[in-house]
Amino acid sequence: MKKFGMLIDVQYCTGCHTCEVACAQENGLAADQFGIKVTEHVLNQKKGLMIDYVPYITDMCNFCMARVAEGRKPSCVKHCLAQCMSFGPIDEIVEEAKNAKKPMLYFK
């Protein structure tokens, strides 16, 4: 079976939570369940505050494999407003990550 991965370039995540909503709607998740969850990290630095939004994949994520089998992207990737998420075969995602500013890779 082909192995897939997801790349999120955290440098460009705006913390809009659209990925969370898309995932919940696609998979019929309850309000307290998440396939992907965005967290906010605030760091107080000498030059001022730095805020990063970090989407992380939970155990409930199935990479929307039913959508992928139809040739479509996972719902979170399709609906990402910042377009900072990519999905595909692991070898392609690893190559793409080499050009990302703050890459996070997830594999299943």
Side-chain angles (χ1 to χ4, degrees):
M1 185 167 96
K2 195 177 217 180
K3 295 280 189 171
F4 291 97
M6 185 176 295
L7 166 65
I8 302 171
D9 192 343
V10 177
Q11 176 74 24
Y12 300 107
C13 179
T14 62
C16 69
H17 299 272
T18 302
C19 56
E20 288 179 3
V21 174
C23 177
Q25 289 180 344
E26 180 73 27
N27 295 293
L29 301 178
D32 62 345
Q33 296 178 319
F34 300 92
I36 187 168
K37 178 76 175 144
V38 178
T39 60
E40 180 181 81
H41 299 266
V42 180
L43 301 170
N44 193 357
Q45 298 184 329
K46 291 179 183 177
K47 296 179 182 178
L49 292 179
M50 182 178 88
I51 302 172
D52 280 330
Y53 296 98
V54 181
Y56 67 91
I57 304 297
T58 73
D59 290 341
M60 296 187 80
C61 175
N62 62 8
F63 278 172
C64 293
M65 290 312 290
R67 291 176 60 90
V68 172
E70 296 172 352
R72 300 187 296 158
K73 296 177 183 178
S75 190
C76 60
V77 175
K78 178 183 188 282
H79 294 285
C80 178
L81 296 176
Q83 297 181 351
C84 65
M85 302 174 77
S86 298
F87 177 82
I90 289 177
D91 54 341
E92 292 176 19
I93 292 299
V94 169
E95 279 302 310
E96 189 175 338
K98 293 177 182 178
N99 297 317
K101 300 285 186 185
K102 289 185 180 178
M104 293 186 69
L105 294 167
Y106 297 96
F107 304 106
K108 287 212 177 207

